PDB file of all heavy atoms in Angstrom:
ATOM      1  N   ALA A   1      -2.750  -0.834 -15.312  1.00  0.00           N
ATOM      2  CA  ALA A   1      -1.787   0.030 -14.635  1.00  0.00           C
ATOM      3  C   ALA A   1      -1.061   0.899 -15.648  1.00  0.00           C
ATOM      4  O   ALA A   1      -0.767   0.459 -16.765  1.00  0.00           O
ATOM      5  CB  ALA A   1      -0.786  -0.814 -13.852  1.00  0.00           C
ATOM      6  N   LYS A   2      -0.769   2.133 -15.280  1.00  0.00           N
ATOM      7  CA  LYS A   2      -0.067   3.039 -16.193  1.00  0.00           C
ATOM      8  C   LYS A   2       1.432   2.754 -16.213  1.00  0.00           C
ATOM      9  O   LYS A   2       2.133   3.107 -17.159  1.00  0.00           O
ATOM     10  CB  LYS A   2      -0.320   4.486 -15.773  1.00  0.00           C
ATOM     11  CG  LYS A   2      -1.778   4.907 -15.958  1.00  0.00           C
ATOM     12  CD  LYS A   2      -1.994   6.348 -15.554  1.00  0.00           C
ATOM     13  CE  LYS A   2      -3.455   6.756 -15.757  1.00  0.00           C
ATOM     14  NZ  LYS A   2      -3.705   8.161 -15.352  1.00  0.00           N
ATOM     15  N   LYS A   3       1.919   2.153 -15.120  1.00  0.00           N
ATOM     16  CA  LYS A   3       3.322   1.753 -15.098  1.00  0.00           C
ATOM     17  C   LYS A   3       3.440   0.394 -14.421  1.00  0.00           C
ATOM     18  O   LYS A   3       2.544  -0.030 -13.683  1.00  0.00           O
ATOM     19  CB  LYS A   3       4.184   2.789 -14.392  1.00  0.00           C
ATOM     20  CG  LYS A   3       3.818   3.063 -12.953  1.00  0.00           C
ATOM     21  CD  LYS A   3       4.737   4.130 -12.358  1.00  0.00           C
ATOM     22  CE  LYS A   3       4.369   4.389 -10.898  1.00  0.00           C
ATOM     23  NZ  LYS A   3       5.256   5.414 -10.286  1.00  0.00           N
ATOM     24  N   LEU A   4       4.541  -0.264 -14.660  1.00  0.00           N
ATOM     25  CA  LEU A   4       4.753  -1.640 -14.198  1.00  0.00           C
ATOM     26  C   LEU A   4       4.694  -1.722 -12.672  1.00  0.00           C
ATOM     27  O   LEU A   4       5.296  -0.911 -11.974  1.00  0.00           O
ATOM     28  CB  LEU A   4       6.108  -2.155 -14.691  1.00  0.00           C
ATOM     29  CG  LEU A   4       6.489  -3.583 -14.257  1.00  0.00           C
ATOM     30  CD1 LEU A   4       5.555  -4.608 -14.910  1.00  0.00           C
ATOM     31  CD2 LEU A   4       7.945  -3.881 -14.626  1.00  0.00           C
ATOM     32  N   ILE A   5       3.921  -2.673 -12.203  1.00  0.00           N
ATOM     33  CA  ILE A   5       3.885  -2.982 -10.763  1.00  0.00           C
ATOM     34  C   ILE A   5       4.484  -4.369 -10.568  1.00  0.00           C
ATOM     35  O   ILE A   5       3.975  -5.353 -11.116  1.00  0.00           O
ATOM     36  CB  ILE A   5       2.439  -2.950 -10.217  1.00  0.00           C
ATOM     37  CG1 ILE A   5       1.807  -1.573 -10.445  1.00  0.00           C
ATOM     38  CG2 ILE A   5       2.427  -3.299  -8.728  1.00  0.00           C
ATOM     39  CD1 ILE A   5       0.346  -1.487 -10.037  1.00  0.00           C
ATOM     40  N   THR A   6       5.561  -4.442  -9.801  1.00  0.00           N
ATOM     41  CA  THR A   6       6.232  -5.728  -9.618  1.00  0.00           C
ATOM     42  C   THR A   6       5.644  -6.475  -8.427  1.00  0.00           C
ATOM     43  O   THR A   6       5.034  -5.871  -7.519  1.00  0.00           O
ATOM     44  CB  THR A   6       7.736  -5.540  -9.365  1.00  0.00           C
ATOM     45  OG1 THR A   6       7.915  -4.874  -8.111  1.00  0.00           O
ATOM     46  CG2 THR A   6       8.379  -4.715 -10.479  1.00  0.00           C
ATOM     47  N   LYS A   7       5.842  -7.779  -8.416  1.00  0.00           N
ATOM     48  CA  LYS A   7       5.392  -8.591  -7.277  1.00  0.00           C
ATOM     49  C   LYS A   7       6.150  -8.204  -6.008  1.00  0.00           C
ATOM     50  O   LYS A   7       5.623  -8.315  -4.895  1.00  0.00           O
ATOM     51  CB  LYS A   7       5.570 -10.073  -7.579  1.00  0.00           C
ATOM     52  CG  LYS A   7       4.573 -10.598  -8.609  1.00  0.00           C
ATOM     53  CD  LYS A   7       4.648 -12.114  -8.741  1.00  0.00           C
ATOM     54  CE  LYS A   7       3.580 -12.631  -9.718  1.00  0.00           C
ATOM     55  NZ  LYS A   7       3.610 -14.098  -9.844  1.00  0.00           N
ATOM     56  N   GLU A   8       7.392  -7.753  -6.167  1.00  0.00           N
ATOM     57  CA  GLU A   8       8.173  -7.330  -5.007  1.00  0.00           C
ATOM     58  C   GLU A   8       7.525  -6.108  -4.345  1.00  0.00           C
ATOM     59  O   GLU A   8       7.464  -6.011  -3.111  1.00  0.00           O
ATOM     60  CB  GLU A   8       9.608  -6.995  -5.416  1.00  0.00           C
ATOM     61  CG  GLU A   8      10.488  -8.189  -5.773  1.00  0.00           C
ATOM     62  CD  GLU A   8      10.117  -8.798  -7.125  1.00  0.00           C
ATOM     63  OE1 GLU A   8       9.479  -8.086  -7.953  1.00  0.00           O
ATOM     64  OE2 GLU A   8      10.458  -9.972  -7.345  1.00  0.00           O
ATOM     65  N   GLN A   9       7.013  -5.168  -5.195  1.00  0.00           N
ATOM     66  CA  GLN A   9       6.326  -3.998  -4.654  1.00  0.00           C
ATOM     67  C   GLN A   9       5.043  -4.396  -3.921  1.00  0.00           C
ATOM     68  O   GLN A   9       4.723  -3.858  -2.858  1.00  0.00           O
ATOM     69  CB  GLN A   9       5.993  -3.019  -5.789  1.00  0.00           C
ATOM     70  CG  GLN A   9       7.192  -2.297  -6.366  1.00  0.00           C
ATOM     71  CD  GLN A   9       6.806  -1.455  -7.572  1.00  0.00           C
ATOM     72  OE1 GLN A   9       6.229  -1.972  -8.535  1.00  0.00           O
ATOM     73  NE2 GLN A   9       7.113  -0.157  -7.516  1.00  0.00           N
ATOM     74  N   ILE A  10       4.329  -5.351  -4.518  1.00  0.00           N
ATOM     75  CA  ILE A  10       3.082  -5.820  -3.898  1.00  0.00           C
ATOM     76  C   ILE A  10       3.381  -6.482  -2.545  1.00  0.00           C
ATOM     77  O   ILE A  10       2.709  -6.218  -1.540  1.00  0.00           O
ATOM     78  CB  ILE A  10       2.362  -6.813  -4.829  1.00  0.00           C
ATOM     79  CG1 ILE A  10       2.007  -6.127  -6.167  1.00  0.00           C
ATOM     80  CG2 ILE A  10       1.109  -7.361  -4.157  1.00  0.00           C
ATOM     81  CD1 ILE A  10       1.512  -7.084  -7.231  1.00  0.00           C
ATOM     82  N   ALA A  11       4.413  -7.350  -2.536  1.00  0.00           N
ATOM     83  CA  ALA A  11       4.780  -8.051  -1.294  1.00  0.00           C
ATOM     84  C   ALA A  11       5.182  -7.063  -0.212  1.00  0.00           C
ATOM     85  O   ALA A  11       4.852  -7.234   0.971  1.00  0.00           O
ATOM     86  CB  ALA A  11       5.907  -9.036  -1.570  1.00  0.00           C
ATOM     87  N   GLU A  12       5.883  -6.004  -0.609  1.00  0.00           N
ATOM     88  CA  GLU A  12       6.313  -4.996   0.361  1.00  0.00           C
ATOM     89  C   GLU A  12       5.107  -4.302   0.987  1.00  0.00           C
ATOM     90  O   GLU A  12       5.072  -4.072   2.204  1.00  0.00           O
ATOM     91  CB  GLU A  12       7.214  -3.981  -0.325  1.00  0.00           C
ATOM     92  CG  GLU A  12       7.775  -2.940   0.631  1.00  0.00           C
ATOM     93  CD  GLU A  12       8.681  -1.938  -0.073  1.00  0.00           C
ATOM     94  OE1 GLU A  12       9.061  -2.181  -1.234  1.00  0.00           O
ATOM     95  OE2 GLU A  12       8.998  -0.909   0.556  1.00  0.00           O
ATOM     96  N   LYS A  13       4.114  -4.002   0.176  1.00  0.00           N
ATOM     97  CA  LYS A  13       2.918  -3.336   0.683  1.00  0.00           C
ATOM     98  C   LYS A  13       2.143  -4.244   1.641  1.00  0.00           C
ATOM     99  O   LYS A  13       1.653  -3.806   2.680  1.00  0.00           O
ATOM    100  CB  LYS A  13       2.012  -2.919  -0.482  1.00  0.00           C
ATOM    101  CG  LYS A  13       2.566  -1.789  -1.331  1.00  0.00           C
ATOM    102  CD  LYS A  13       2.660  -0.505  -0.542  1.00  0.00           C
ATOM    103  CE  LYS A  13       3.175   0.647  -1.401  1.00  0.00           C
ATOM    104  NZ  LYS A  13       3.326   1.898  -0.614  1.00  0.00           N
ATOM    105  N   ILE A  14       2.029  -5.506   1.268  1.00  0.00           N
ATOM    106  CA  ILE A  14       1.307  -6.444   2.142  1.00  0.00           C
ATOM    107  C   ILE A  14       2.071  -6.657   3.443  1.00  0.00           C
ATOM    108  O   ILE A  14       1.489  -6.836   4.519  1.00  0.00           O
ATOM    109  CB  ILE A  14       1.068  -7.781   1.415  1.00  0.00           C
ATOM    110  CG1 ILE A  14       0.122  -7.566   0.226  1.00  0.00           C
ATOM    111  CG2 ILE A  14       0.497  -8.836   2.370  1.00  0.00           C
ATOM    112  CD1 ILE A  14      -0.078  -8.785  -0.636  1.00  0.00           C
ATOM    113  N   GLY A  15       3.396  -6.620   3.359  1.00  0.00           N
ATOM    114  CA  GLY A  15       4.223  -6.855   4.546  1.00  0.00           C
ATOM    115  C   GLY A  15       4.220  -5.716   5.535  1.00  0.00           C
ATOM    116  O   GLY A  15       4.712  -5.861   6.661  1.00  0.00           O
ATOM    117  N   GLU A  16       3.687  -4.571   5.151  1.00  0.00           N
ATOM    118  CA  GLU A  16       3.620  -3.430   6.066  1.00  0.00           C
ATOM    119  C   GLU A  16       2.429  -3.611   7.004  1.00  0.00           C
ATOM    120  O   GLU A  16       1.337  -3.085   6.781  1.00  0.00           O
ATOM    121  CB  GLU A  16       3.503  -2.126   5.264  1.00  0.00           C
ATOM    122  CG  GLU A  16       4.746  -1.818   4.445  1.00  0.00           C
ATOM    123  CD  GLU A  16       4.539  -0.635   3.507  1.00  0.00           C
ATOM    124  OE1 GLU A  16       3.384  -0.140   3.416  1.00  0.00           O
ATOM    125  OE2 GLU A  16       5.508  -0.214   2.852  1.00  0.00           O
ATOM    126  N   LEU A  17       2.665  -4.405   8.081  1.00  0.00           N
ATOM    127  CA  LEU A  17       1.568  -4.769   8.986  1.00  0.00           C
ATOM    128  C   LEU A  17       1.445  -3.839  10.180  1.00  0.00           C
ATOM    129  O   LEU A  17       0.602  -4.040  11.061  1.00  0.00           O
ATOM    130  CB  LEU A  17       1.744  -6.217   9.450  1.00  0.00           C
ATOM    131  CG  LEU A  17       1.604  -7.258   8.324  1.00  0.00           C
ATOM    132  CD1 LEU A  17       1.974  -8.646   8.819  1.00  0.00           C
ATOM    133  CD2 LEU A  17       0.203  -7.246   7.745  1.00  0.00           C
ATOM    134  N   GLY A  18       2.318  -2.809  10.193  1.00  0.00           N
ATOM    135  CA  GLY A  18       2.159  -1.756  11.189  1.00  0.00           C
ATOM    136  C   GLY A  18       2.259  -2.244  12.618  1.00  0.00           C
ATOM    137  O   GLY A  18       2.979  -3.200  12.930  1.00  0.00           O
ATOM    138  N   ASP A  19       1.512  -1.614  13.490  1.00  0.00           N
ATOM    139  CA  ASP A  19       1.569  -1.909  14.922  1.00  0.00           C
ATOM    140  C   ASP A  19       0.620  -3.060  15.256  1.00  0.00           C
ATOM    141  O   ASP A  19      -0.382  -2.903  15.955  1.00  0.00           O
ATOM    142  CB  ASP A  19       1.194  -0.660  15.715  1.00  0.00           C
ATOM    143  CG  ASP A  19       1.447  -0.843  17.203  1.00  0.00           C
ATOM    144  OD1 ASP A  19       2.264  -1.717  17.555  1.00  0.00           O
ATOM    145  OD2 ASP A  19       0.818  -0.124  17.998  1.00  0.00           O
ATOM    146  N   THR A  20       0.946  -4.235  14.728  1.00  0.00           N
ATOM    147  CA  THR A  20       0.155  -5.438  15.004  1.00  0.00           C
ATOM    148  C   THR A  20       1.065  -6.491  15.609  1.00  0.00           C
ATOM    149  O   THR A  20       2.270  -6.286  15.763  1.00  0.00           O
ATOM    150  CB  THR A  20      -0.462  -6.009  13.708  1.00  0.00           C
ATOM    151  OG1 THR A  20       0.582  -6.611  12.914  1.00  0.00           O
ATOM    152  CG2 THR A  20      -1.134  -4.911  12.895  1.00  0.00           C
ATOM    153  N   THR A  21       0.507  -7.612  15.955  1.00  0.00           N
ATOM    154  CA  THR A  21       1.312  -8.706  16.514  1.00  0.00           C
ATOM    155  C   THR A  21       1.788  -9.663  15.423  1.00  0.00           C
ATOM    156  O   THR A  21       2.350 -10.708  15.727  1.00  0.00           O
ATOM    157  CB  THR A  21       0.490  -9.499  17.548  1.00  0.00           C
ATOM    158  OG1 THR A  21      -0.640 -10.088  16.888  1.00  0.00           O
ATOM    159  CG2 THR A  21       0.010  -8.609  18.668  1.00  0.00           C
ATOM    160  N   PHE A  22       1.557  -9.293  14.153  1.00  0.00           N
ATOM    161  CA  PHE A  22       1.876 -10.199  13.046  1.00  0.00           C
ATOM    162  C   PHE A  22       3.034  -9.671  12.205  1.00  0.00           C
ATOM    163  O   PHE A  22       3.271  -8.467  12.107  1.00  0.00           O
ATOM    164  CB  PHE A  22       0.652 -10.375  12.136  1.00  0.00           C
ATOM    165  CG  PHE A  22      -0.549 -10.962  12.821  1.00  0.00           C
ATOM    166  CD1 PHE A  22      -1.804 -10.363  12.686  1.00  0.00           C
ATOM    167  CD2 PHE A  22      -0.441 -12.099  13.607  1.00  0.00           C
ATOM    168  CE1 PHE A  22      -2.920 -10.891  13.306  1.00  0.00           C
ATOM    169  CE2 PHE A  22      -1.544 -12.637  14.234  1.00  0.00           C
ATOM    170  CZ  PHE A  22      -2.789 -12.035  14.091  1.00  0.00           C
ATOM    171  N   GLU A  23       3.735 -10.613  11.596  1.00  0.00           N
ATOM    172  CA  GLU A  23       4.717 -10.300  10.566  1.00  0.00           C
ATOM    173  C   GLU A  23       4.467 -11.239   9.392  1.00  0.00           C
ATOM    174  O   GLU A  23       3.932 -12.336   9.555  1.00  0.00           O
ATOM    175  CB  GLU A  23       6.146 -10.457  11.086  1.00  0.00           C
ATOM    176  CG  GLU A  23       6.519 -11.868  11.491  1.00  0.00           C
ATOM    177  CD  GLU A  23       7.937 -11.976  12.029  1.00  0.00           C
ATOM    178  OE1 GLU A  23       8.639 -10.949  12.027  1.00  0.00           O
ATOM    179  OE2 GLU A  23       8.333 -13.085  12.439  1.00  0.00           O
ATOM    180  N   LEU A  24       4.849 -10.781   8.217  1.00  0.00           N
ATOM    181  CA  LEU A  24       4.577 -11.555   7.010  1.00  0.00           C
ATOM    182  C   LEU A  24       5.529 -12.733   6.888  1.00  0.00           C
ATOM    183  O   LEU A  24       6.749 -12.587   7.012  1.00  0.00           O
ATOM    184  CB  LEU A  24       4.702 -10.662   5.771  1.00  0.00           C
ATOM    185  CG  LEU A  24       4.286 -11.287   4.436  1.00  0.00           C
ATOM    186  CD1 LEU A  24       2.810 -11.676   4.461  1.00  0.00           C
ATOM    187  CD2 LEU A  24       4.565 -10.314   3.282  1.00  0.00           C
TER     188      LEU A  24
END
C-alpha cells in the first residue's frame, strides 16, 4: 500500500452491506 490502511477503515468497508437484510 502507498499509504497506511487501518483495520478500522477495512471494517467500515466490510460493514457497508447496502440494501441487504444483513448488518455487520
Side-chain angles (χ1 to χ4, degrees):
K2 293 181 180 179
K3 60 181 181 179
L4 179 67
I5 301 175
T6 66
K7 288 188 177 181
E8 288 73 21
Q9 289 174 305
I10 299 170
E12 183 180 347
K13 290 294 182 183
I14 294 174
E16 294 172 354
L17 294 172
D19 189 22
T20 72
T21 62
F22 299 131
E23 64 181 357
L24 187 62

